[in-house]
C-alpha cells in the first residue's frame, strides 16, 4: 500500500498519511516518503498551499511502536538518530517551507503525530479528534517540537501537565486553549480544510512565505530584532506586484487578483 497519498489540485496539494489500520503511525520506512511528498510540493511552482491529513479514523498515532523501536542484537534502539533523521526533519520542512500548511486533524494525533499537527501553520480539527502527548505513557519525552510548540501555544502550566500526564484533550479544548485554529464538525473537516487551502492558494504567496519567516524568527528575536526583520520583509513586500495589485483593487473597490 502507498503509505503517503498525494492529491494535486489547482494551486494546492493534499498529503494523506495512509496507514489507517495503525492510525497512521509513522516509521522509518514511511517517513522518507512523507519528506519526499513535502519536497515535491515545495518544488511544484504551481503549488501554493498544502493540506496534511490522515486516512481512516486517526490523524497520526506518532512513531510506530514496532521494529524501529525494538531493541536489537546491538542493544536499545537509537531514538536520537531516528528523531533527527526523520521525525524532526518533517517538522523542519513544514516550518521552513514557503508553503502554508493546513493540518486537517481528522482523528487522534498522538506523540510525534500531535507534533506534526502543531507544526502546521493553520490547524483545523474534527470535533471528535483528540491530541495526546503520548510520550510519557511509554517512558519517552516530548519530541518533534512538542516542547517548543506547546508552551508557546497553551502556556507553561498547561504544557507541562499535558507532557507529564499524557492526558488526551479534545478538539474543542484545543481550540479554547489556543492550541489550534479551529474545531469543526467532523463532517465539515474536509470541506473546511479544502476551502482554507484554496483561500491560501489565492493569497499573495510571497507575503505568506514572509509571514512564515517572521514567525520562525520571533521565538529567538528581541522586539528590536523583530522590528528590523519586519522592516526588511515589508520593504520586499512593498516592491511586489501583489502589493501594487492589492492597492489597485482597494481603490477600484474590487477583490484583488494576486499573481498565480
Ligand atoms: O526517535 C524517535 O523520535 C521516536 C519517536 C517518538 C515519538 C513518538 O511518537 S512516541 C509516541 C508513540 N505513539 C504512541 O505511544 C501512541 C500509541 N497509541 C495509542 O496510545 C493509542 O493507539 C491511541 C491513543 C493513539 C488511540 O487509541 P484507540 O483506542 O483509539 O486505538 P487503538 O485500538 O489503541 O489503536 C488502533 C490500532 O492502531 C491498534 O492496532 P490493532 O490492535 O487494531 O491491530 C493499535 O495497536 C494501532 N496503533 C495505534 N498507535 C500505534 C499503533 N500501532 C503501532 N504504533 C503505534 N504508535
Amino acid at each position: 500500500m502507498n503509505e503517503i497519498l498525494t492529491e494535486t489540485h489547482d494551486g494546492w496539494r493534499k498529503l494523506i498519511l495512509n496507514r489507517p489500520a495503525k492510525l497512521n503511525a509513522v516509521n522509518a520506512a514511511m517517513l522518507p516518503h512523507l519528506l519526499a511528498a513535502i519536497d515535491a510540493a515545495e518544488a511544484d511552482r504551481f503549488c501554493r498551499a498544502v493540506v496534511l491529513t490522515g486516512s481512516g479514523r486517526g490523524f497520526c498515532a506518532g512513531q510506530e511502536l514496532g521494529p524501529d523501536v525494538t531493541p536489537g542484537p546491538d542493544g536499545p534502539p537509537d531514538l536520537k538518530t531516528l528523531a533527527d533523521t526523520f521525525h524532526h526533519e518533517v517538522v523542519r520542512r513544514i516550518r521552513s517551507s514557503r508553503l502554508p500548511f493546513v493540518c486537517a486533524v481528522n482523528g487522534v494525533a498522538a506523540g510525534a503525530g500531535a507534533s506534526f499537527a502543531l507544526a502546521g501553520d493553520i490547524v483545523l480539527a474534527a470535533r471528535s479528534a483528540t491530541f495526546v502527548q503520548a510520550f510519557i505513557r511509554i517512558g519517552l519525552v516530548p519530541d518533534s517540537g512538542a516542547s517548543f510548540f506547546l508552551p508557546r501555544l497553551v502556556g507553561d502550566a498547561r504544557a507541562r501537565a499535558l507532557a507529564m500526564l499524557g492526558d488526551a484533550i479534545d478538539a474543542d479544548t484545543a481550540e479554547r486553549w489556543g492550541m489550534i485554529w479551529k474545531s469543526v464538525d467532523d463532517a465539515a473537516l474536509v470541506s473546511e480544510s479544502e476551502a482554507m487551502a484554496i483561500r491560501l492558494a489565492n493569497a499573495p504567496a510571497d507575503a505568506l512565505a514572509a509571514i512564515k519567516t517572521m514567525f520562525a524568527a520571533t521565538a529567538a528575536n528581541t522586539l528590536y530584532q523583530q522590528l528590523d526583520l519586519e522592516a526588511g520583509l515589508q520593504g520586499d513586500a512593498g516592491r511586489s506586484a501583489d502589493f501594487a495589485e492589492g492597492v489597485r483593487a482597494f481603490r477600484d473597490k474590487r477583490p484583488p487578483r494576486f499573481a498565480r
Side-chain angles (χ1 to χ4, degrees):
M1 179 169 28
N2 188 348
E3 294 180 336
I4 303 294
L5 304 177
T6 296
E7 290 176 7
T8 303
H9 298 271
D10 180 20
W12 61 280
R13 288 187 180 205
K14 183 183 287 193
L15 310 184
I16 305 167
L17 305 170
N18 186 37
R19 294 183 79 211
K22 300 283 182 197
L23 302 178
N24 305 313
V26 293
N27 59 36
M30 173 185 184
L31 284 166
H33 297 289
L34 176 58
L35 294 173
I38 294 172
D39 288 348
E42 188 78 23
D44 175 1
R45 69 186 182 88
F46 297 109
C47 183
R48 296 161 64 96
V50 172
V51 173
L52 178 64
T53 193
S55 67
R57 71 174 182 88
F59 174 74
C60 175
Q63 167 63 37
E64 179 185 18
L65 301 179
D68 293 344
V69 297
T70 305
D74 300 330
D78 178 1
L79 296 193
K80 179 179 187 308
T81 302
L82 187 62
D84 269 346
T85 312
F86 297 116
H87 306 77
H88 291 187
E89 201 49 42
V90 172
V91 174
R92 286 189 197 103
R93 296 211 194 171
I94 292 174
R95 284 290 165 126
S96 65
S97 171
R98 69 181 169 87
L99 300 167
F101 274 68
V102 177
C103 287
V105 182
N106 53 301
V108 64
S115 302
F116 294 166
L118 298 182
D121 296 291
I122 297 181
V123 186
L124 300 174
R127 193 145 286 128
S128 67
T130 53
F131 295 81
V132 193
Q133 294 301 309
F135 311 93
I136 193 68
R137 295 183 177 184
I138 54 170
L140 292 184
V141 297
D143 77 359
S144 308
S147 65
F148 181 93
F149 299 135
L150 278 177
R152 286 168 172 79
L153 291 168
V154 302
D156 193 73
R158 284 170 170 158
R160 282 177 194 249
L162 289 175
M164 290 186 171
L165 302 176
D167 289 349
I169 62 164
D170 61 31
D172 283 345
T173 304
E175 178 188 319
R176 208 171 51 251
W177 288 4
M179 189 191 288
I180 63 169
W181 172 238
K182 215 194 258 190
S183 163
V184 302
D185 288 343
D186 288 15
L189 182 69
V190 171
S191 59
E192 290 222 13
S193 58
E194 293 188 353
M196 182 71 75
I198 292 166
R199 181 172 167 185
L200 290 166
N202 286 297
D206 290 344
L208 291 176
I211 289 170
K212 292 195 67 157
T213 301
M214 280 180 184
F215 278 86
T218 196
N221 271 353
T222 63
L223 172 62
Y224 288 5
Q225 288 167 328
Q226 198 66 13
L227 289 172
D228 287 345
L229 179 65
E230 288 178 359
L233 291 169
Q234 198 69 292
D236 295 342
R239 287 186 289 277
S240 71
D242 283 339
F243 175 56
E245 164 61 9
V247 173
R248 225 172 15 244
F250 175 78
R251 290 198 182 128
D252 296 349
K253 299 190 186 303
R254 61 168 173 80
R257 285 183 299 272
F258 296 114
R260 295 270 324 243

